[in-house]
Amino acid sequence: MTVDSNIIMGEIAELEFQLQGMHCTACASRVEKSLSRMDGVSEVAVSFPLRTAWAQVETDKVSLQAMKDAIARLGFTATMNQSPYTSLQRERKLMLMRLLPAILLSLPLLAGMVHHMAGLSRLAAMLPSWIADPYVQLTLATVIQLGIGLPFYIGAYHAIKQRSANMDVLVVIGTSAAYLYSHYAVLHSLGGPYYFETSAVVITAVLLGKYLETTASLRSQVQSDGFGSLQSSYATVERAGEKNRIRTEYVRTGDTVWVGDKEMIPVDGTVLQGDALVNESMLTGESRAVHKSPGDCLWAGTTLDSGRLKIRTTSAGHATLLNRIREQVMEGQRSKSTLQGQVDAVAGWFVPMMLGFSAITFLLWGLLLQPGEWSHAMMCAIAVMLAACPCALGLAAPISLVIASGRLAKSGIIVKDAVAIERLAGIDTIVFDKTGTLTEGRPSVSALDACEEGSMSVLRIAAAVEAKSEHPLAVAIREAAMKKGIVIPEAESLTYRPGYGAEGMLQGERIALGNMRLLKEKGSKLGKEAQLSAQLLESSGATVLYSIRGEECIGIIGFSDSIRAEAPRVVEALKKLSVRPVMATGDNIAPAEAIAANAGIVEVRASMLPEHKQRLIEQLRREGAKIAMVGDGWNDAPALAAADVGIAMGSGTEGALGAGHVTLMFSRLQSIPEAIAISRRTLGNIRQNLLFAFTYNVLIIPFAAIGWLAPWMAGTAMALSSVSVVANALLLGRRLHVDSYEAAGCR
């Protein structure tokens, strides 16, 4: 999100900054805490892997500059209108500019170590004598410590100023102790040993680790953000008969845009002229090109495989579906899972604890284990300090979650927050709505039985009462009326009652259309023939509604809605994942059971109002089940909110982005087991990362404390531990790409 795309809601704005200078997750926590304390800032989220800070602010209470100044006081630089990828590239370039001279200056210091190592006398004789000169070593080490290592001091200063501790504090204290001791030994001619190589190699190793980590973060950005490359910068617009190539942010709604062969479509719109094949795979997940002709919808980011189209723009720039999806994905990526929050809490006290343990190690060696050997005690204490690695713990979850949310988005699965991924992994029961979820959601009138009057009268009244409803059954009624040439009269006082039907007034008479529940409420009687007809329709899987005038039922309308072709495969895939499928629908038991049987679902709950579905979810949760609810995002809103994970089926491409914890943009049922499989693999990857980070600290810190690790070894291990965690997270992206969909059993 850039400043141009900030969402302004009255005096509320959403702002996003790109941050430079953060070295670990503790830095991100400091920014988050500082901004959240500012008056007028209602919500803050900072992502270390993305190097971004997002905030929701009241514009009349806090200014953009005030927030930038607050971030600057913490030692970081905030910029806007820059993608996370660009920000990470710049950070990596700056890191390389420090790393290369650090390596060159550290090599002579490492060579100098040879003179002090037994068994390497021949090699030492081959080296020039000046390498072992204490003043040469002091000069080289000073450039590295106070020049190249200066940003560590600045970071440590700001951390301590905020009464916090991070990786910079550990690096600065550890390397400064080794450098200052050696500095003192040289100036007072103590004759060694000197530990310049310790401070220099640790700084170099940490820089190398951060460079590799930043490179890995860049790769994770590429894996997670498939939508960034789909945004076209220019569009060919026709205005006043002239065609001009302009930037997409200057395209207006209603503009005519031309797109040629192999070009990327830059706007959302409808086809005015032309026939073409359009590749929508990156947006919809469907590999086959889709034929487009006048009247069809198009979306930015898709590509014209062949042909030429004239398009009327409906959305451009930041308002396109592609950009809205991307913003939803970024919102999910910057959120924190429960597990990540717990790890961040541990990392918050980890550094102070390690500083305390380092002090204890120093005193134990100097006073008890080797009394008076303060040089050895200092080296052991420094090794402990440098071995401690909160960064590996802090990176265990966020990069994996960034990659997973990006992979889900490429499959049309939009996850609103990281907690949803965590909860999806534990789902053991999934409750499906019927209409529009397990069925196509495009019902048609399949039967029309009049009780006393003609069938046209039954359909006319039904169309009048459903004239303004967007419910799929209402649409089917209006389409049937239009096909029969019925002029739909205008009804008054229309009301729509979820779970019952619709009512209104027509020419002074009360009319209604609804299910058996509404029929009984009205006290309308149904003849034996009508009852038999309704039973036969329902037993065949049809949905039945009753057309009512006054207190009299004047006819029955049957609707057929075919089951989605993929539904049986999806249900079978869920069972293989040990997930129990349940259907909950407002339809009667007979049509509900018919659809459920075709899908392979055994448990069916029928004739349920929205509040009944909510109670069902709550009951299943009380029984210990981990529930996902799949519905249309509107009528099922209470149940979606009550479930551990609410999965909203999108309405075409304009999916219900505001409903549920997860949105299936293109209503692909296959996405459900895919999402569960991806979430489980992601959580497994995070646990691997946490296990490695925890095991690393448990094993290496005792070795450092007993003197089995030289400080430079401990510092190098600290730097590489973070790289190892990030590398394992990157392997997740490859695994998800190769086999996550197959793991769901839907191919």
Side-chain angles (χ1 to χ4, degrees):
M1 186 190 304
T2 65
V3 70
D4 296 326
S5 64
N6 291 333
I7 304 169
I8 306 297
M9 299 166 288
E11 295 184 341
I12 302 296
E14 291 184 2
L15 304 175
E16 188 170 279
F17 304 92
Q18 284 69 51
L19 303 179
Q20 293 286 334
M22 292 199 301
H23 293 158
C24 61
T25 52
C27 299
S29 296
R30 282 167 48 214
V31 175
E32 198 168 286
K33 290 177 182 177
S34 179
L35 293 181
S36 63
R37 294 192 193 107
M38 297 182 71
D39 185 34
V41 178
S42 57
E43 193 175 347
V44 179
V46 180
S47 171
F48 174 65
L50 298 177
R51 307 299 197 271
T52 60
W54 171 90
Q56 190 174 80
V57 303
E58 297 178 48
T59 54
D60 58 339
K61 291 185 178 181
V62 62
S63 67
L64 178 65
Q65 189 58 47
M67 297 184 71
K68 286 186 174 182
D69 291 342
I71 294 172
R73 285 194 294 271
L74 298 176
F76 311 118
T77 303
T79 59
M80 301 188 78
N81 298 317
Q82 191 178 76
S83 71
Y85 185 83
T86 303
S87 181
L88 281 168
Q89 276 188 317
R90 182 171 179 270
E91 181 176 325
R92 185 176 67 164
K93 183 178 180 180
L94 293 173
M95 197 71 67
L96 185 63
M97 291 171 63
R98 294 168 60 196
L99 175 61
L100 291 178
I103 292 173
L104 291 174
L105 295 175
S106 295
L107 287 175
L109 295 174
L110 284 172
M113 291 174 60
V114 174
H115 291 277
H116 305 290
M117 299 177 71
L120 296 179
S121 56
R122 289 186 178 181
L123 180 61
M126 297 171 60
L127 297 174
S129 58
W130 62 264
I131 286 181
D133 185 276
Y135 287 96
V136 171
Q137 291 188 25
L138 172 61
T139 302
L140 295 175
T142 301
V143 174
I144 295 174
Q145 187 74 31
L146 303 180
I148 297 171
L150 182 62
F152 291 121
Y153 282 91
I154 296 172
Y157 165 76
H158 286 289
I160 294 171
K161 185 179 178 183
Q162 296 293 319
R163 298 179 181 179
S164 179
N166 61 358
M167 185 198 71
D168 292 335
V169 174
L170 294 176
V171 172
V172 164
I173 294 177
T175 59
S176 295
Y179 170 78
L180 292 174
Y181 174 84
S182 302
H183 186 281
Y184 178 84
V186 169
L187 294 185
H188 291 79
S189 303
L190 299 183
Y194 307 120
Y195 300 104
F196 289 121
E197 78 285 345
T198 295
S199 60
V201 170
V202 167
I203 288 176
T204 303
V206 171
L207 288 174
L208 175 62
K210 299 308 293 181
Y211 176 78
L212 295 175
E213 181 190 309
T214 306
T215 301
S217 294
L218 276 167
R219 286 184 59 192
S220 73
Q221 269 291 294
V222 173
Q223 290 186 19
S224 67
D225 187 12
F227 299 109
S229 60
L230 300 179
Q231 294 182 318
S232 179
S233 300
Y234 291 89
T236 302
V237 178
E238 180 181 336
R239 291 175 181 167
E242 293 187 5
K243 295 179 183 177
N244 293 294
R245 191 113 173 123
I246 64 174
R247 293 191 63 85
T248 51
E249 53 261 41
Y250 300 126
V251 180
R252 301 189 297 263
T253 299
D255 273 344
T256 298
V257 174
W258 287 89
V259 183
D261 193 28
K262 303 300 180 184
E263 285 187 353
M264 185 178 292
I265 296 172
V267 297
D268 291 354
T270 55
V271 179
L272 292 176
Q273 178 183 320
D275 286 273
L277 290 175
V278 177
N279 185 342
E280 299 179 342
S281 59
M282 284 300 291
L283 199 58
T284 68
E286 297 296 337
S287 58
R288 288 181 296 181
V290 181
H291 179 260
K292 299 289 183 178
S293 57
D296 289 338
C297 294
L298 296 166
W299 297 279
T302 58
T303 306
L304 213 62
D305 273 1
S306 62
R308 181 175 173 80
L309 293 176
K310 180 180 181 181
I311 304 167
R312 179 184 176 276
T313 302
T314 56
S315 299
H318 301 297
T320 62
L321 174 67
L322 176 69
N323 196 70
R324 298 206 310 275
I325 293 174
R326 191 181 187 210
E327 289 178 4
Q328 288 276 0
V329 172
M330 292 179 68
E331 181 181 339
Q333 289 177 345
R334 64 180 171 240
S335 65
K336 290 184 179 181
S337 68
T338 305
L339 190 61
Q340 186 180 343
Q342 294 170 348
V343 170
D344 286 349
V346 171
W349 53 259
F350 187 84
V351 172
M353 186 179 73
M354 285 301 102
L355 289 173
F357 188 54
S358 176
I360 292 172
T361 300
F362 179 72
L363 294 174
L364 283 175
W365 278 104
L367 296 176
L368 298 176
L369 300 177
Q370 290 185 4
E373 294 290 336
W374 294 108
S375 174
H376 179 75
M378 181 185 69
M379 288 298 102
C380 292
I382 291 174
V384 169
M385 199 179 307
L386 294 175
C389 185
C391 292
L393 283 170
L395 288 169
I399 291 185
S400 297
L401 290 169
V402 165
I403 292 172
S405 62
R407 176 60 191 159
L408 287 166
K410 289 176 183 177
S411 298
I413 308 163
I414 309 302
V415 179
K416 304 299 179 60
D417 56 63
V419 175
I421 295 179
E422 195 172 78
R423 289 179 177 174
L424 265 174
I427 291 300
D428 56 30
T429 303
I430 188 161
V431 179
F432 288 96
D433 178 40
K434 181 177 78 71
T435 304
T437 302
L438 288 172
T439 65
E440 292 289 350
R442 294 190 293 272
S444 59
V445 174
S446 58
L448 189 59
D449 291 343
C451 296
E452 294 184 5
E453 302 183 21
S455 59
M456 294 300 101
S457 179
V458 173
L459 190 56
R460 177 174 172 272
I461 287 177
V465 79
E466 295 283 13
K468 297 181 181 179
S469 173
E470 293 303 319
H471 191 282
L473 297 181
V475 174
I477 287 171
R478 293 199 297 271
E479 288 178 352
M482 291 173 62
K483 287 179 181 178
K484 292 185 179 294
I486 296 174
V487 177
I488 302 174
E490 185 174 348
E492 300 174 346
S493 304
L494 293 173
T495 57
Y496 300 97
R497 300 172 59 191
Y500 286 85
E503 300 179 59
M505 297 292 295
L506 180 63
Q507 297 174 352
E509 288 187 296
R510 181 158 292 279
I511 59 173
L513 181 75
N515 54 23
M516 179 60 73
R517 189 182 289 112
L518 181 64
L519 189 71
K520 290 180 178 178
E521 183 184 272
K522 295 296 180 184
S524 302
K525 293 182 179 180
L526 199 62
K528 290 184 179 180
E529 289 186 8
Q531 288 181 17
L532 180 61
S533 177
Q535 290 172 2
L536 289 173
L537 285 171
E538 289 182 341
S539 64
S540 67
T543 298
V544 175
L545 294 183
Y546 302 90
S547 185
I548 305 168
R549 185 174 59 195
E551 296 181 355
E552 180 185 7
C553 176
I554 63 171
I556 299 170
I557 304 177
F559 301 85
S560 62
D561 188 7
S562 59
I563 188 172
R564 292 178 184 269
E566 71 272 21
R569 298 196 306 274
V570 169
V571 170
E572 183 62 27
L574 289 169
K575 291 177 180 178
K576 288 180 180 179
L577 290 168
S578 300
V579 178
R580 158 192 169 203
V582 178
M583 179 196 285
T585 177
D587 210 344
N588 290 333
I589 187 66
E593 287 185 337
I595 293 294
N598 289 334
I601 298 175
V602 176
E603 295 184 58
V604 180
R605 310 294 176 90
S607 302
M608 303 193 82
L609 295 172
E611 56 267 29
H612 295 156
K613 294 181 183 180
Q614 180 183 0
R615 289 177 200 149
L616 171 64
I617 298 295
E618 292 169 349
Q619 176 190 337
L620 291 172
R621 290 187 68 184
R622 284 194 299 270
E623 293 172 358
K626 301 295 183 183
I627 308 294
M629 172 68 195
V630 186
D632 61 15
W634 305 109
N635 294 334
D636 298 309
L640 289 170
D644 292 288
V645 180
I647 302 176
M649 300 287 285
S651 175
T653 53
E654 296 294 331
L657 285 174
H661 308 98
V662 177
T663 299
L664 306 184
M665 286 303 300
F666 292 88
S667 301
R668 295 169 62 248
L669 280 180
Q670 302 99 312
S671 299
I672 297 171
E674 185 177 0
I676 294 173
I678 287 175
S679 297
R680 289 181 179 178
R681 187 175 286 277
T682 300
L683 206 62
N685 183 267
I686 291 172
R687 285 172 178 152
Q688 288 175 358
N689 292 340
L690 288 172
L691 179 63
F692 171 81
F694 179 75
T695 303
Y696 160 83
N697 284 296
V698 167
L699 293 179
I700 202 168
I701 291 174
F703 279 112
I706 62 178
W708 287 7
L709 281 180
W712 70 268
M713 295 179 184
T716 302
M718 176 189 72
L720 295 181
S721 65
S722 297
V723 177
S724 300
V725 167
V726 175
N728 189 50
L730 287 175
L731 287 177
L732 171 68
R734 183 176 298 177
R735 294 189 189 110
L736 294 181
H737 179 73
V738 171
D739 66 0
S740 65
Y741 196 66
E742 287 80 355
C746 291
R747 277 189 177 175

